[in-house]
Amino acid sequence: MRAIAVYAIALMMMLWGCRATNNQSATWKIYNNPRYDFEFPYPSNWIAAPMPDNRDGRAFRDPQNPEVEILGVAGASLPEIELAPPGQKHPHTSMQQNFTTQQGISGKLQVELRSDISLMRLTLIQGRIRYYWQGRSPSGQFDDYYRFFYYVAGQYRIPEIKN
């Protein structure tokens, strides 16, 4: 019970400065993708974009700031892993991993600061499936959403590999 309380306090402190969750009554929902079975949390008051026909993912927008969006998608577009020439790594297996989710899955987290829009992107690869998560905001507000995006990226979950 004490561990849960400590976790809750730490989470509240981490998200305190985040404009998207400053609302004291903010609660979370979990989006679970029906096709690729990945999931991530989002604030319950955020607005879901329509599900695309291919069911590859979904976006959610901040109702108070519709230019702020989080998005999760996946795709099975990776080719079969072929043997790389001697001394070279296959491009799909050489992705520089710099981030580990709470689930323990390693991937690549990138931040792209543009003049108008800034992005935080997480890429995870498992087998032939490539999983993406992205947080996007106007560049002038990116600092307000950075910790929120980082938290949600860390909570992104993909299916466990079955042996």
Side-chain angles (χ1 to χ4, degrees):
M1 185 69 159
R2 183 176 181 196
I4 293 172
V6 170
Y7 175 76
I9 290 168
L11 177 60
M12 286 173 40
M13 289 175 61
M14 183 172 61
L15 296 176
W16 182 258
C18 177
R19 177 180 299 171
T21 59
N22 268 347
N23 183 346
Q24 294 287 356
S25 63
T27 59
W28 294 87
K29 289 186 177 180
I30 302 291
Y31 167 71
N32 185 284
N33 180 268
R35 182 172 181 192
Y36 290 103
D37 199 29
F38 64 85
E39 63 182 43
F40 61 90
Y42 65 96
S44 63
N45 64 335
W46 281 37
I47 299 167
M51 174 77 78
D53 290 340
N54 65 11
R55 300 176 4 162
D56 284 352
R58 197 151 205 190
F60 297 87
R61 292 197 175 100
D62 182 346
Q64 297 174 347
N65 192 351
E67 293 182 67
V68 176
E69 176 183 85
I70 56 177
L71 164 74
V73 295
S77 61
L78 293 177
E80 291 289 339
I81 299 295
E82 300 172 8
L83 293 176
Q88 293 183 12
K89 293 182 178 179
H90 189 278
H92 297 307
T93 59
S94 64
M95 177 179 75
Q96 186 175 15
Q97 298 177 346
N98 62 358
F99 184 79
T100 302
T101 66
Q102 290 293 316
Q103 182 186 17
I105 306 294
S106 295
K108 184 173 185 176
L109 186 68
Q110 297 173 283
V111 173
E112 186 176 332
L113 303 173
R114 300 179 187 169
S115 61
D116 55 345
I117 296 288
S118 291
L119 310 163
M120 179 180 288
R121 290 188 180 128
L122 173 64
T123 304
L124 304 172
I125 297 174
Q126 185 180 77
R128 293 185 61 204
I129 309 294
R130 186 178 298 249
Y131 298 89
Y132 295 101
W133 178 88
Q134 175 180 286
R136 180 185 79 179
S137 77
S139 291
Q141 299 171 4
F142 191 72
D143 286 348
D144 297 334
Y145 288 92
Y146 181 88
R147 289 187 291 174
F148 167 72
F149 291 157
Y150 192 88
Y151 169 76
V152 177
Q155 298 301 310
Y156 191 91
R157 296 182 63 84
I158 63 176
E160 297 284 339
I161 297 176
K162 295 178 173 58
N163 293 332

